[in-house]
Amino acid sequence: MNNEKKYKLIGADGKEYFSEQKGTLGGHRKLKIYGRLDCPSALRHIAKGHYVHERVFFSDEATAIAAGYRPCAVCMKKEYQIWKQKQGY
């Protein structure tokens, strides 16, 4: 019997899967945003009881991007600016 903890992550196809490795980035399913696990904005919303039901996790940034998520403007400012320029904003 395998007693190792499994973590629910989102793959590049946008579907959930279980992994033995923790995710390195968190995100919001409906807003399609990803960011650092210590993002102050996400942590504020979680502390207020928001966000938790829409929280998702990714193994890495490339997976989050492939799944159609954009970088957080608060905790990933540089990545967000690059994304924004690519969108033509």
Side-chain angles (χ1 to χ4, degrees):
M1 182 175 206
N2 186 350
N3 289 332
E4 289 189 39
K5 182 169 173 88
K6 300 284 184 182
Y7 300 94
K8 193 184 300 183
L9 304 179
I10 300 294
D13 59 1
K15 296 181 181 177
E16 294 180 343
Y17 71 96
F18 287 97
S19 171
E20 293 178 1
Q21 303 295 316
K22 283 185 175 183
T24 62
L25 296 168
H28 189 283
R29 183 184 322 273
K30 287 188 178 176
L31 298 177
K32 296 288 226 180
I33 296 172
Y34 72 90
R36 296 188 334 240
L37 297 176
D38 64 347
C39 176
S41 178
L43 294 176
R44 273 192 307 275
H45 284 87
I46 290 168
K48 292 178 183 178
H50 306 293
Y51 205 94
V52 177
H53 296 295
E54 300 300 330
R55 189 87 159 134
V56 294
F57 299 93
F58 300 96
S59 61
D60 55 43
E61 187 174 20
T63 303
I65 292 167
Y69 287 68
R70 71 154 176 89
C72 173
V74 174
C75 69
M76 301 187 79
K77 290 179 182 178
K78 178 181 167 189
E79 294 87 347
Y80 175 74
Q81 289 301 321
I82 293 168
W83 173 85
K84 194 173 165 182
Q85 287 176 350
K86 288 180 180 178
Q87 302 305 309
Y89 295 119

